[in-house]
Amino acid sequence: VGASDAAPQVRSLSAVLLRKMSNTGAQPDAQTSTLQNASQQVQTQARATVIQCIENEAMDTIRRQCADTIAAMAAVFLSTNQWPELLPKILEWSRSQTDQLRHIAMFLLGRLAEFASNAMKTQPQEFFTLVQAGLSDSVLSVRCQAMKASTDFVIALDEAQVAAFEPLLPQMLSVIGDAL
């Protein structure tokens, strides 16, 4: 995944295979994923590699595959507090001068709401702040991705928590108008 000198097809397949290793669905009776059963060193290297992929990958499709892999890995590692650097890294990307990193940060927030919603529900204010900033971004694709992330998160929330996201509605409607 992180080898920029490898062919794009190899980098792409590597991201997909690593994502599959993060899922428990490979074997019907599995309680843990292949990645969870790996050594601490392998787990640490896998987490560092996908973060490096987001930052260094030139191709959008492969960067998105790496983001999907991060979401699958987050479902495994965030709930056990084994990836404390992930959310600060997403915050860093959301503030980047590069619109591709801001876009992927919003994409990742949406994927985390879907795949690691229990871990994300523990920090609704941080999530709110990030998507609020994304909804005000100067780049329309980032704003659209922030809107998708906010709707993914609201869907994952308990009904009692949804009202806290109502202040985002004017910004979301503005994004819809801008997108049309």
Side-chain angles (χ1 to χ4, degrees), residues 6-144:
Q9 299 87 345
V10 172
R11 296 192 315 270
S12 175
L13 184 59
S14 296
V16 170
L17 292 175
L18 185 55
R19 182 174 65 238
K20 289 198 176 289
M21 290 176 56
S22 302
N23 295 328
T24 57
Q27 298 171 335
D29 58 345
Q31 297 297 315
T32 58
S33 70
T34 303
L35 194 55
Q36 283 174 295
N37 292 327
S39 70
Q40 188 67 35
Q41 181 181 4
V42 169
Q43 292 176 8
T44 301
Q45 182 61 40
R47 292 190 301 260
T49 299
V50 292
I51 285 177
Q52 180 184 16
C53 174
I54 295 293
E55 294 176 339
N56 299 326
E57 179 56 55
M59 296 183 67
D60 288 337
T61 56
I62 297 174
R63 191 178 316 115
R64 186 170 287 237
Q65 287 173 326
C66 289
D68 282 333
T69 301
I70 287 174
M73 291 171 66
V76 172
F77 294 118
L78 282 182
S79 62
T80 57
N81 295 319
Q82 291 181 301
W83 205 352
E85 64 275 12
L86 178 60
L87 295 178
K89 186 54 83 170
I90 293 172
L91 175 63
E92 177 186 319
W93 294 334
S94 73
R95 296 177 175 163
S96 172
Q97 295 297 316
T98 309
D99 61 333
Q100 290 92 349
L101 283 178
R102 294 193 314 273
H103 184 273
I104 209 71
M106 294 302 124
F107 175 78
L108 256 172
L109 288 174
R111 300 300 278 168
L112 290 177
E114 184 179 341
F115 285 103
S117 61
N118 288 337
M120 296 301 291
K121 285 181 193 177
T122 63
Q123 303 177 45
Q125 186 56 45
E126 289 84 351
F127 188 90
F128 179 92
T129 302
L130 285 172
V131 296
Q132 186 177 39
L135 288 167
S136 301
D137 198 274
S138 62
V139 177
L140 179 60
S141 67
V142 175
R143 292 194 310 268
C144 289

Side-chain angles (χ1 to χ4, degrees), residues 135 140 143-144 147 170-180:
L135 288 167
L140 179 60
R143 292 194 310 268
C144 289
M147 187 174 75
Q171 285 180 282
M172 293 172 76
L173 291 171
S174 176
V175 171
I176 292 170
D178 292 346
L180 297 176

